[in-house]
Amino acid sequence: MRKLLEIRNKEERIAELDDIHAKEIKEYLKLLDLIKEIDVRHLPSIGEKSSRTVIAQPGLRYAQADALIRSLLLYDTFEALSLAERMAVQERILNEIKGRMLEDIVLQETQMANPKKEVFVLQFAIGEFDMVVFDPLEGNCQIFEIKHSTEAVKSQYRHLIDEEKCALTEHRYGLITAKTVLYRGEDQIIEGIQYRNVERYLVELDCAG
């Protein structure tokens, strides 16, 4: 997709977008409450700081992404594909977008529902925790994976049971009190990992707020 966008936009470029312009645009979008910033923290490189820009209105992102994909599928690169192949490509891309949207929604809603806690993505040299909720007053944390899936499979929680990742996390953020996979299936416990239905999780956040 990036390569195709580069090709499609190449002739339309009339000015370079530098870091200053990009920062100004982001600040303007924040004022309009269209985007928010989520911290991305790094272990073991605690000095490394970054953030993740999330769309505050996920429906807007999905509509734009859907229109973009439909446009790209008409491009020469895709014309040689069969209808079934084009549909498969579109479905795969949209599923990836839905997964990212779900992560953004959960991060935003959890952050708003827990003003006294720190909510962030925790990035390791390899892999990440999709969400960490750190309670600085209690000195503990909860770690999460967020999946746009109705199925429960072991690969979804491989990072949550990674001893090295968990040790680094507890050293920095205190005792891990819960390891949870948020997904679209039913609540259950697998190998000590809590599986929670993401819709019910979001409803509970809203009720608590």
Side-chain angles (χ1 to χ4, degrees), residues 11 53 58 81-82 110 121 124 174 203:
E11 295 176 358
T53 302
L81 300 177
S82 69
T110 304
V121 177
F124 300 93
V203 168

Side-chain angles (χ1 to χ4, degrees), residues 70-118:
R70 291 179 188 278
S71 175
L72 289 176
L73 289 175
L74 296 175
Y75 198 63
D76 293 344
T77 306
F78 289 102
E79 285 186 353
L81 300 177
S82 69
L83 174 61
E85 289 171 328
R86 293 198 304 273
M87 291 178 67
V89 169
Q90 183 172 350
E91 183 179 2
R92 174 65 182 273
I93 295 172
L94 285 176
N95 282 335
E96 291 293 326
I97 293 169
K98 289 177 184 177
R100 178 60 182 261
M101 284 172 54
L102 182 62
E103 290 179 21
D104 288 355
I105 291 169
V106 170
L107 283 161
Q108 289 181 74
E109 294 298 322
T110 304
Q111 188 179 64
M112 289 189 293
N114 295 277
K116 295 182 180 180
K117 298 179 182 179
E118 299 175 18

Side-chain angles (χ1 to χ4, degrees), residues 19-55:
D19 290 342
I20 295 175
H21 290 139
K23 185 176 181 179
E24 289 175 348
I25 291 169
K26 287 180 72 173
E27 290 302 319
Y28 183 66
L29 292 174
K30 284 180 187 177
L31 289 173
L32 293 176
D33 201 29
L34 292 176
I35 64 171
K36 295 183 183 298
E37 296 292 328
I38 298 292
D39 284 345
V40 178
R41 303 186 184 181
H42 299 258
L43 287 178
S45 306
I46 60 174
E48 185 176 351
K49 295 182 179 180
S50 58
S51 63
R52 171 168 157 180
T53 302
V54 301
I55 305 296

Side-chain angles (χ1 to χ4, degrees), residues 128-130 143-147 156 159-160 180-182:
E128 68 178 24
F129 293 153
D130 290 336
I143 56 178
F144 296 80
E145 291 290 332
I146 306 165
K147 305 299 177 185
Q156 294 168 335
H159 296 313
L160 299 182
T180 305
V181 175
L182 298 174

Side-chain angles (χ1 to χ4, degrees), residues 1-10 72 75 77:
M1 284 186 68
R2 283 195 295 270
K3 289 179 180 178
L4 286 170
L5 287 171
E6 184 75 12
I7 293 170
R8 291 174 65 83
N9 292 335
K10 191 171 184 180
L72 289 176
Y75 198 63
T77 306

Side-chain angles (χ1 to χ4, degrees), residues 150-169:
T150 58
E151 303 296 325
V153 294
K154 188 170 184 176
S155 61
Q156 294 168 335
Y157 58 86
R158 66 188 186 281
H159 296 313
L160 299 182
I161 59 174
D162 186 304
E163 293 182 1
E164 182 179 359
K165 289 181 175 64
C166 290
L168 286 169
T169 302

